[in-house]
């Protein structure tokens, strides 16, 4: 039998890494096209290096709502670019690779949610932002991993709650808020690959290193972590730790952001039982070359039927207001 993979270790980043020729070209193009580049924390390092803003789903939703650029290049997955379009019907939103989906969003088809609502019209639907615009349009309020407890805390007390689509995040929020919730049986194919065994091996290899995990991990993995939070909160939490080495149980792109913003620490990407770190295949579909191409061509572009967009905007704006 093969030995389990050793965790990938990322020592502090050398200072002043020069931009590549392709990065310079993308920066010149975005100026020429008056475009803003928004990138999720899981994007590859060279994309993060040309972005105007790098953050979690919540930060990206606020940035998208505030931008005045005529074109938004959204480096993330499809539901994130759709979110930018929902709050910007008059702007062009480009996604470098239209195939960049999300297993979690796919686990909740709008027709199934519509049937659940029909079967019980008293339901109050809280939708994690990792869902399609059509699912958002059927929901009462949206949340992200960064504000889920706050949002659930504001749901009217007399309504039964259906939380979609991530059962792991839903269970975590329900435990933190004490609010019973029906949980949709969806999950993130990447985060559920972390196991207690792999995490304990990483801890044994790095004695004293605290563990930070994303709430999309299973409960058994979250129970081992010292901190469970959204990708954005991970940055602040890692900065505050006295330990010089930290184990990070989320998609490994997060390490690029952490290395830039918490420069003196060593980060260990939590392994799975099969791999020394964990990448989301959808997030990695965007490449810097595709960012360049979409700026040149003005496509692929996100479009939404106005009837869906306008209905989806209501619970999304409710989240942005409740989350302030
Ligand atoms: P964050 O909102 O914490 O960045 O998470 C988004 C995501 O897709 C996690 O898999
Ligand atoms: Fe979706 Fe998981 Fe990828 Fe996040 S990491 S985009 S939840 S498949």
């Amino acid at each position: 039998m093969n030995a389990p993979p050793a965790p990938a270790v990322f020592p502090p980043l050398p200072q002043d890494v020069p931009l590549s020729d392709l990065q310079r070209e993308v920066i010149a193009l975005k100026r020429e096209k008056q475009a803003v580049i928004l990138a999720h924390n899981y994007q590859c390092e060279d994309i993060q290096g040309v972005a105007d803003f790098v953050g979690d789903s919540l930060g990206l939703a606020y940035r998208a709502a505030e931008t005045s650029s005529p074109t938004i290049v959204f480096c993330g997955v499809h539901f994130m670019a759709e979110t930018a379009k929902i709050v910007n019907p008059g702007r062009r939103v480009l996604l470098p690779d239209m195939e960049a989906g999300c297993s979690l969003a796919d686990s909740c088809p709008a027709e199934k949610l519509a049937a659940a609502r029909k079967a019980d019209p008293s339901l109050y639907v809280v939708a994690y932002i990792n869902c399609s615009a059509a699912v958002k349009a059927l929901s009462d309020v949206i949340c992200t991993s960064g504000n889920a407890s706050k949002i659930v805390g504001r749901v009217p007390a007399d309504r039964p709650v259906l939380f979609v689509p991530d059962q792991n995040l839903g269970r975590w929020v329900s435990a933190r808020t004490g609010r019973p919730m029906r949980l949709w049986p969806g999950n993130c194919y990447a985060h559920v690959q972390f196991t207690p065994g792999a995490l304990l091996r990483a801890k044994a290899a790095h004695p004293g290193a605290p563990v930070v995990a994303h709430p999309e991990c299973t409960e058994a993995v979250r129970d081992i972590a010292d901190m469970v939070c959204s990708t954005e909160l991970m940055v602040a939490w890692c900065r505050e730790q006295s330990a010089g080495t930290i184990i990070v149980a989320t998609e490994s792109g997060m390490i690029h952001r952490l290395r830039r913003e918490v420069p003196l620490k060593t980060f260990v990407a939590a392994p799975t039982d099969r791999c020394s770190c964990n990448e989301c295949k959808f997030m990695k579909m965007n490449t810097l070359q595709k960012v360049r191409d979409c700026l040149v061509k003005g496509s692929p572009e996100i479009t939404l039927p106005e009837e869906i967009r306008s209905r989806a905007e209501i619970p999304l704006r409710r989240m942005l207001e409740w989350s302030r």
Side-chain angles (χ1 to χ4, degrees):
M1 208 172 103
N2 292 340
V9 179
F10 297 85
L13 200 60
Q15 295 302 295
D16 300 326
V17 182
L19 292 175
S20 67
D21 289 348
L22 187 54
Q23 282 181 309
R24 285 181 206 285
E25 189 184 346
V26 168
I27 291 169
L29 272 169
K30 86 173 169 180
R31 285 198 189 118
E32 183 194 319
K33 309 278 180 187
Q34 294 178 289
V36 64
I37 299 183
L38 304 181
H40 187 263
N41 289 323
Y42 296 163
Q43 290 294 285
C44 48
E45 195 167 9
D46 52 3
I47 292 182
Q48 293 197 20
V50 295
D52 297 280
F53 177 77
V54 182
D56 70 348
S57 307
L58 182 61
L60 288 164
Y62 275 116
R63 278 301 169 119
E66 285 158 9
T67 190
S68 56
S69 301
T71 300
I72 301 170
V73 177
F74 205 105
C75 300
V77 290
H78 192 269
F79 75 82
M80 296 178 174
E82 268 191 347
T83 303
K85 185 66 184 176
I86 291 167
V87 290
N88 284 294
R91 298 183 209 285
R92 185 158 62 166
V93 178
L94 305 176
L95 177 62
D97 190 325
M98 234 359 141
E99 298 300 309
C102 169
S103 68
L104 192 46
D106 290 348
S107 70
C108 186
E111 315 76 69
K112 282 197 176 167
L113 179 58
R117 287 213 80 134
K118 202 169 168 202
D120 184 355
S122 71
L123 285 175
Y124 194 98
V125 177
V126 180
Y128 184 31
I129 198 162
N130 295 37
C131 62
S132 67
V135 164
K136 288 184 177 75
L138 289 166
S139 302
D140 293 294
V141 69
I142 309 302
C143 72
T144 72
S145 59
N147 63 15
S149 300
K150 195 172 184 180
I151 298 295
V152 167
R154 291 196 57 169
V155 170
D158 58 344
R159 299 279 295 277
V161 182
L162 172 62
F163 188 92
V164 304
D166 189 10
Q167 57 183 323
N168 289 307
L169 176 71
R171 194 163 290 117
W172 178 69
V173 174
S174 184
R176 294 183 82 198
T177 57
R179 182 82 191 241
M181 301 196 293
R182 242 176 82 186
L183 306 177
W184 194 267
N187 61 44
C188 160
Y189 92 96
H191 281 86
V192 298
Q193 288 181 46
F194 293 116
T195 62
L199 209 51
L200 290 173
R201 279 194 295 278
K203 274 172 79 80
H206 298 276
V211 176
V212 62
H214 196 274
E216 288 173 16
C217 295
T218 62
E219 190 169 11
V221 164
R222 295 197 307 267
D223 283 349
I224 297 170
D226 299 275
M227 176 66 172
V228 177
C229 61
S230 72
T231 58
E232 193 61 35
L233 292 175
M234 283 181 189
V235 180
W237 187 83
C238 288
R239 203 178 279 131
E240 279 166 14
Q241 300 312 297
S242 55
T245 300
I246 299 172
I247 300 169
V248 183
T250 192
E251 209 273 353
S252 55
M254 186 64 213
I255 304 275
H256 307 313
R257 170 96 193 273
L258 288 169
R259 283 176 102 198
R260 264 207 327 278
E261 296 204 20
V262 193
L264 299 179
K265 293 193 192 294
T266 292
F267 292 100
V268 176
T272 66
D273 289 329
R274 283 178 301 162
C275 192
S276 59
C277 60
N278 198 356
E279 285 195 342
C280 167
K281 63 182 174 191
F282 303 111
M283 283 280 179
K284 295 314 193 250
M285 283 181 181
N286 296 320
T287 61
L288 191 60
Q289 184 68 47
K290 289 180 194 172
V291 175
R292 188 205 86 102
D293 293 350
C294 85
L295 275 163
V296 171
K297 291 189 217 141
S299 74
E301 181 177 357
I302 298 281
T303 54
L304 282 172
E306 178 54 21
E307 189 259 330
I308 298 223
R309 190 210 63 79
S310 57
R311 281 200 290 134
E313 189 172 10
I314 297 166
L316 191 58
R317 295 268 178 205
R318 185 168 291 139
M319 172 192 83
L320 295 175
E321 194 196 315
W322 286 7
S323 185
R324 279 193 196 282

